[in-house]
Amino acid sequence: MKTTYKIKYIQQVLAVCLVVVSLNSCSDYLDEKPISQPSNVTFWRNSNDANSAVAGGYAQLRKALNSGLSYYAHGDLGTDVFSTERELRSDFTDIMKFKLGISVPLTETWKPMYKVRDFSIFYAAIKQADLCLKHIPEIPKDEFTDYDAQYNQYIGEAYFIRAFSYFYMARVWGNVPIVDGSDPDIVDTKNYKREDVAKVLLKATEDCQSAIKNLSWNYSTDTDRVVRANAGAAYALLAHIYAWSGNYSACETAAAKIIDSNFYTYVDRNNYMNVFAGQSSESIFEIAQNSQSEAQAGDRQSLTNYLLRGEYLKTRLNEKETVWQYDLTTLKQTFFNDANDLRRTKGFAEFSSDWPILLKYSKVTYTSPTSPLSINNILIFRLADIALLQAEAQAAQNKFDQARATLNRIRKMAGLEDSTASDDKLFEAVIEERGRELFMEGHRFYDLVRLARAKKIYKFGDSSSNKITASQFVSGKSYWPIQPTLLETNILFTQTEYWKSEAQ
């Protein structure tokens, strides 16, 4: 039925993915070019090689999160944010309906459903991190201009990249392989099974704690700010890992490290769009794609094609409808029902229409009149996210006064009155506020999972459907199926439990 498997990520890295980059700017740093050569022969000679290798890890993360728009497909599409009432008009229709078992022909690997079910792409980032962790310590100390600072930074970033990759996969697929990183130069035929999600989360936690031990808060250059991991990024990741694991006491502590550091400051909500301009004072960690070499083609491969129209996208200048339609009940009655909300007035165009335009991802440049490029960074963590995560943790621990104060601070910045939620509804109110503040930032699905776990409240559906019912949630539907082709090449793999009878 299934054949012997060599995990796909190993096949993809027969040539070591290292990078040759100029270090003059953030964009240059992250615009990697893979090279094909044994990693221990002509590489790993000095600090520049170490820096380039770490850059390769970030580039692999960007590739993974952009594959099939995975970051948003996993985090936003299958939620109450998008409507299933009308006939949807994109290859993401079944994802929005959370019909994840749909068959995709083997020849159509370009289809989003194929890409977003395939976790193997994340192992390229893990492989790169493993290479860094093995070989950077082998570089002679005198080949660094500032050994202690540079060595700790590069090692810390490698741990961060690996921790982020494992945590991301654990949230989406639950059980995933944990690969042996002790000798990443060796390409063998070893098979890996899907490890229990608790082990994967423990691995992510340990790597994140190692990152914190090595990373400082400061950046060596301004251009590195938030597009490379620092201590704040690692604490933000750790806070999310603990929240997902249900360890809200530890989550609150990790979030406090960020908030109490005063290293980050809120952007005035009258200038709300500055949050999304890239590397704002509020941002903690972003995936850089704000240069032409990093950007995604805006015609079919990025959010711009699906969320923009009219004056905001020349290739859809005369369109009156966006490709993707928000669920208007969620958008206008749940999230942005207050006309004074600056996130509504500053964050949308044509909000009163049936096809509002979200402006968070409206940075577009053109290589020709018909060739748009989306130059919007992927904003992973920011200060408001961590503050509301802290409020969630406080509400979960019945620290209602503290949770309410944190929640109301975010609401006040946006021009809203204090929350009137009672203590028993406060956790849910925080999750709802996260929906407003972090709208289409890749968080909604995971927020709803935590709400379901903590309070047995299930809000995955839009106004016309319920994408995950209470019984389906208990049965594990919130974990994605893996791409069925992986099952055909690894005898040790099994399909995600809920999807065993449905994934094709």
Side-chain angles (χ1 to χ4, degrees), residues 323-389:
V323 178
W324 290 349
Q325 185 200 21
Y326 300 118
D327 182 77
L328 297 182
T329 300
T330 299
L331 187 72
K332 297 187 178 186
Q333 297 181 29
T334 302
F335 287 161
F336 302 106
N337 56 337
D338 192 321
N340 295 318
D341 194 331
L342 293 171
R343 297 164 299 192
R344 165 179 158 175
T345 59
K346 304 295 183 181
F348 290 89
E350 300 184 33
F351 186 82
S352 61
S353 75
D354 286 344
W355 302 89
I357 303 170
L358 180 67
L359 300 180
K360 289 183 178 182
Y361 305 107
S362 59
K363 288 179 62 180
V364 180
T365 189
Y366 296 85
T367 57
S368 75
T370 59
S371 301
L373 287 175
S374 171
I375 52 174
N376 303 279
N377 286 357
I378 302 177
L379 213 172
I380 306 293
F381 305 129
R382 60 184 175 98
L383 186 57
D385 157 36
I386 299 304
L388 288 170
L389 198 66

Side-chain angles (χ1 to χ4, degrees), residues 208 212 217 230-240 253-255 257-258 386:
C208 196
I212 289 171
W217 286 86
N230 72 338
Y235 275 119
L237 175 58
L238 189 62
H240 272 280
T253 299
K257 291 286 188 181
I258 298 167
I386 299 304

Side-chain angles (χ1 to χ4, degrees), residues 406-434:
T406 305
L407 170 61
N408 288 336
R409 191 176 305 119
I410 299 298
R411 290 175 60 85
K412 184 177 181 181
M413 285 194 305
L416 300 182
E417 299 293 329
D418 287 351
S419 172
T420 59
S422 58
D423 288 352
D424 63 322
K425 297 292 185 182
L426 193 56
F427 187 100
E428 184 180 358
V430 172
I431 295 296
E432 185 175 302
E433 195 63 36
R434 285 181 62 83

Side-chain angles (χ1 to χ4, degrees), residues 53-66:
V54 172
Y58 290 116
Q60 294 294 350
L61 275 186
R62 182 173 65 233
K63 181 179 179 181
L65 297 179
N66 279 325

Side-chain angles (χ1 to χ4, degrees), residues 85-115:
E85 183 177 12
R86 298 187 185 183
E87 180 64 30
L88 300 172
R89 303 165 298 169
S90 81
D91 291 323
F92 292 87
T93 296
D94 290 318
I95 297 173
M96 289 181 176
K97 294 180 178 180
F98 218 69
K99 294 182 177 180
L100 306 181
I102 300 300
S103 177
V104 178
L106 295 178
T107 57
E108 297 181 0
T109 58
W110 52 270
K111 283 199 170 181
M113 184 66 83
Y114 189 104
K115 292 183 176 182

